[in-house]
Amino acid sequence: MSRIPSKLHPIVLTEPEALLFSILRDCADDIHRDDPSKPPLVLRVAGGWVRDKLLGKLSDDIDIAIDKMEGEPFAQRLSQCMKEKGLEELRVATIQVNPEKSKHLETANARVLGYLVDFVNLRTETYSNDSRIPHVDFGSPLDDASRRDITINALFYNIHTGEVEDFLGTGLQDLANGYIRTPLPAMQTFVDDPLRVLRVIRFASRFGYRIDDDILNTVKNNVVKEKFEEKITRERVGVEVHKMLKGPNPVLALRIIHDFGFYPVVFRAPTVPIAIEGGRDMDPSLSVAYAHVLERIFASPALPQMFAHSLKLNVCEDDHFLLYLTASVIPARGRTFLDRKKKKQSLSREILLTSLKLSAYESDVASDVLNGSLRAAAAIRAHIATENGLDRRTLALLIRELGKPPVLSKWYLNVLFAWADEVVATSDDSDEAVLRLGLKYTRFMRSIREFGIEDAYDFRPHLNGKEVAAHFGLRPGPEIGEYLNRLTEWQLGEPDATKEDCTRWLTAYVLGKLEKQCADSVYDFAKLTCPFFDFIRSSSHRAQNNGQQKAEEQIVLAVHL
């Protein structure tokens, strides 16, 4: 039994946990009774659940490590045992070996008493220098602990004895001291599986723990970065970054990525020969600076004031993530490249979509906010500089622009990032400076609310396309879309307009457009048929400058001729 340091909590099982472990023990006993000549199975909870329980936190992340049996057959036998006890039979899912996803051993999982439980045997992994795919075999508890990323994730809880087992001899003390170290020398741990570098960053930022000097020195070695590029799929990178930015301290995560020199490796620009407008050299420190300012903004009293009394807008945890994600690619702002079809693409979107394999929604929103926040900032400056602020129509059209898909109802993210832009530009991120600058953004958002245009991004005019087509006798086509756009612009400035008002306005607009087209046609006809048109036109300009109108009559005469 390993002695638990006084800084940590003794593991006390909840009733559901105690029942779960009792069923697991009974199943192991049944298996032993089938063949008493073999040693009894020993079941241990491994990794995160043990760590979190020792920290006094709840956890439903239960991984069962089995010493002499593979996970899938044990899970199937467990399902049979539960059925015999009159409990719900399990639906066992088998996760096949998939080296591309770094699944080097078949595992199984099932939902047991409400817990999603993973089952896998204790294992040892042996790597070759030229492959990221290890040779996997049954191993001892020490073998299994040694192959893990960091010591605090290498602890076991023996469900038969109720004891915490620290086979490395350092895991418990490291957890008590808030210390991140690798079970083996950092170079071996990272070369075997370079993703462990990102896991070090994630857990160090999650818990705020100090990182061992061996790790700090090793990550500076280019061999680690080269192995990272060779062995790790971009999906795995994206999963880790996603967890960091959704975690409790994304600012620290980005800072450690920068300090490790891993920003160009993680947020990798396209590697094929490609011309990037703005250049490839990006300043990773910008991502840290913006994330730090966003953290200040989220904690500022100006933020709740900004959305006070709004029934339609509210900043949520998902918004925090999207803004931190935007900050993570701020070094790529304004940079573009030509894709294989010679079409200009946003570099920030490409990094998120292909280097991190994030969703199109997340990639598009972050990229759009990088650009949209600049437009928002210009409008806010104009709004504040004007005595009465911008008018309703102008502000509503701005929201429609900022709220184009996929941003939609989250158009205000542009405003928040514009606020961060200004704080970073002043080089003063004190609480007082953040609050002072936030007041004008609060005023801007108050105007939006008072005008009742918070949902202008989704505004629909009183007339639809079919009604416009029927009114003017038009066939479906782009002309109807243009009329609806003009009507929308007009109605946003006329909130009390009725359907009849819209019909009259649109009729006048279309008639005015037709009159202009007729006048333009006459002008073009005169230019083609009258040999003296240019002379007459210049005479018209001279006459207008002298306050005379006779040249216009000459144009009319020329048309008749």
Side-chain angles (χ1 to χ4, degrees):
M1 176 179 180
S2 301
R3 179 179 175 275
I4 298 177
S6 59
K7 293 182 181 179
L8 302 178
H9 296 256
I11 290 184
V12 178
L13 302 181
T14 64
E15 287 187 14
E17 289 170 340
L19 177 58
L20 170 63
F21 293 168
S22 174
I23 293 173
L24 292 173
R25 287 193 299 270
D26 289 346
C27 182
D29 292 341
D30 286 348
I31 293 172
H32 180 57
R33 280 192 289 270
D34 290 345
D35 190 352
S37 64
K38 293 182 180 180
L41 290 180
V42 179
L43 308 179
R44 295 175 173 90
V45 187
W49 181 90
V50 185
R51 179 199 64 228
D52 290 346
K53 293 289 281 190
L54 289 167
L55 293 173
K57 302 176 183 293
L58 294 176
S59 178
D60 56 3
D61 178 21
I62 299 180
D63 296 338
I64 300 298
I66 312 161
D67 65 341
K68 300 178 186 68
M69 187 175 187
E70 292 182 344
E72 196 273 339
F74 179 84
Q76 295 292 354
R77 182 59 183 270
L78 176 63
S79 179
Q80 180 182 338
C81 291
M82 294 187 67
K83 183 178 181 182
E84 292 170 355
K85 291 176 179 290
L87 299 173
E88 183 178 358
E89 190 173 357
L90 302 183
R91 294 182 179 180
V92 178
T94 303
I95 298 90
Q96 302 292 338
V97 173
N98 185 352
E100 290 304 314
K101 299 293 185 182
S102 294
K103 294 293 183 183
H104 307 306
L105 184 70
E106 182 179 279
T107 61
N109 64 46
R111 189 162 293 282
V112 189
L113 303 181
Y115 293 98
L116 184 60
V117 184
D118 286 343
F119 301 92
V120 65
N121 59 274
L122 292 174
R123 59 197 187 272
T124 181
E125 297 176 349
T126 305
Y127 291 81
S128 62
N129 290 332
D130 59 351
S131 175
R132 63 184 176 84
I133 302 174
H135 173 73
V136 181
D137 204 349
F138 277 89
S140 68
L142 177 59
D143 291 331
D144 197 273
S146 298
R147 68 166 190 83
R148 294 181 179 268
D149 48 14
I150 51 180
T151 58
I152 64 172
N153 291 338
L155 300 168
F156 294 96
Y157 176 79
N158 189 313
I159 70 170
H160 305 276
T161 65
E163 296 176 350
V164 174
E165 299 172 334
D166 181 5
F167 290 96
L168 296 173
T170 55
L172 282 170
Q173 201 59 53
D174 287 345
L175 187 61
N177 294 337
Y179 198 70
I180 300 289
R181 86 168 90 208
T182 53
L184 301 174
M187 180 60 76
Q188 181 179 344
T189 296
F190 294 154
V191 168
D192 284 350
D193 185 356
L195 188 72
R196 291 166 180 163
V197 174
L198 296 190
R199 290 178 62 82
V200 164
I201 296 172
R202 176 156 67 88
F203 286 109
S205 62
R206 175 179 173 182
F207 296 116
Y209 288 176
R210 188 164 65 91
I211 300 174
D212 181 59
D213 287 342
D214 184 32
I215 294 176
L216 297 176
N217 293 327
T218 301
V219 294
K220 297 175 183 177
N221 193 313
N222 286 333
V223 171
V224 177
K225 296 183 177 67
E226 291 168 3
K227 292 297 182 182
F228 190 97
E229 294 280 12
E230 291 173 9
K231 291 188 173 186
I232 304 305
T233 62
R234 302 315 297 185
E235 288 87 353
R236 294 181 74 198
V237 177
V239 167
E240 290 297 323
V241 171
H242 202 278
K243 289 179 179 178
M244 290 180 204
L245 298 184
K246 275 188 169 287
N249 201 336
V251 181
L252 181 56
L254 289 172
R255 179 175 291 116
I256 299 174
I257 289 174
H258 174 47
D259 291 344
F260 277 15
F262 261 69
Y263 186 91
V265 180
V266 175
F267 298 92
R268 187 179 68 185
T271 54
V272 296
I274 197 168
I276 296 178
E277 186 176 335
R280 287 181 175 272
D281 294 333
M282 297 183 285
D283 182 4
S285 66
L286 283 175
S287 64
V288 182
Y290 271 80
H292 175 70
V293 167
L294 286 170
E295 185 179 51
R296 292 295 183 90
I297 287 174
F298 296 147
S300 173
L303 186 63
Q305 292 175 15
M306 184 180 294
F307 294 91
H309 311 300
S310 174
L311 299 178
K312 298 178 180 178
L313 304 181
N314 183 41
V315 178
C316 62
E317 289 298 320
D318 187 52
D319 295 336
H320 289 198
F321 164 73
L322 290 171
L323 287 171
Y324 282 127
L325 185 65
T326 304
S328 75
V329 288
I330 186 71
R333 176 190 255 175
R335 297 170 192 258
T336 59
F337 68 97
L338 297 179
D339 63 15
R340 293 176 181 176
K341 296 181 180 180
K342 303 301 181 183
K343 185 177 179 181
K344 185 177 287 190
Q345 300 288 355
S346 162
L347 181 59
S348 59
R349 180 182 184 275
E350 183 71 8
I351 289 172
L352 296 174
L353 198 60
T354 64
S355 290
L356 298 183
K357 298 295 183 180
L358 300 186
S359 70
Y361 170 76
E362 293 167 340
S363 304
D364 286 338
V365 168
S367 182
D368 288 353
V369 169
L370 277 183
N371 298 319
S373 57
L374 299 177
R375 295 191 291 273
I380 292 167
R381 285 194 298 271
H383 184 70
I384 299 301
T386 308
E387 182 178 356
N388 296 320
L390 299 177
D391 60 74
R392 186 183 197 275
R393 178 181 290 113
T394 301
L395 291 176
L397 291 175
L398 172 69
I399 293 173
R400 288 178 68 79
E401 182 182 5
L402 299 179
K404 290 178 180 178
V407 178
L408 299 175
S409 64
K410 293 188 180 295
W411 59 264
Y412 54 85
L413 296 180
N414 293 280
V415 177
L416 296 178
F417 206 79
W419 184 2
D421 266 329
E422 188 167 2
V423 175
V424 171
T426 62
S427 300
D428 182 2
D429 59 4
S430 65
D431 292 340
E432 294 76 13
V434 171
L435 178 59
R436 183 178 65 255
L437 291 174
L439 294 178
K440 67 180 180 181
Y441 294 88
T442 300
R443 174 185 164 187
F444 174 80
M445 292 297 290
R446 186 185 303 120
S447 297
I448 299 294
R449 185 173 63 255
E450 290 173 351
F451 276 133
I453 53 175
E454 291 174 312
D455 54 358
Y457 67 92
D458 195 36
F459 177 80
R460 297 289 185 274
H462 287 317
L463 301 178
N464 59 38
K466 290 184 178 180
E467 291 170 323
V468 170
H471 183 73
F472 293 106
L474 298 173
R475 294 180 178 179
E479 197 171 24
I480 294 176
E482 180 201 344
Y483 292 164
L484 286 175
N485 287 338
R486 299 292 82 76
L487 177 60
T488 297
E489 293 175 6
W490 177 80
Q491 194 178 332
L492 285 171
E494 304 291 337
D496 298 326
T498 63
K499 189 170 186 176
E500 290 71 24
D501 294 333
C502 291
T503 302
R504 283 192 294 271
W505 181 89
L506 189 57
T507 300
Y509 169 79
V510 173
L511 289 176
K513 183 177 180 181
L514 292 174
E515 289 174 359
K516 184 178 183 305
Q517 289 174 345
C518 289
D520 290 344
S521 297
V522 170
Y523 179 90
D524 293 340
F525 178 77
K527 186 174 182 179
L528 290 171
T529 57
C530 178
F532 305 108
F533 180 81
D534 289 335
F535 170 76
I536 296 172
R537 182 177 177 219
S538 63
S539 299
S540 172
H541 289 162
R542 288 195 300 273
Q544 287 177 4
N545 290 336
N546 296 327
Q548 301 176 12
Q549 304 299 324
K550 290 184 178 180
E552 294 180 2
E553 299 172 4
Q554 290 178 320
I555 292 177
V556 175
L557 178 61
V559 170
H560 286 293
L561 292 175

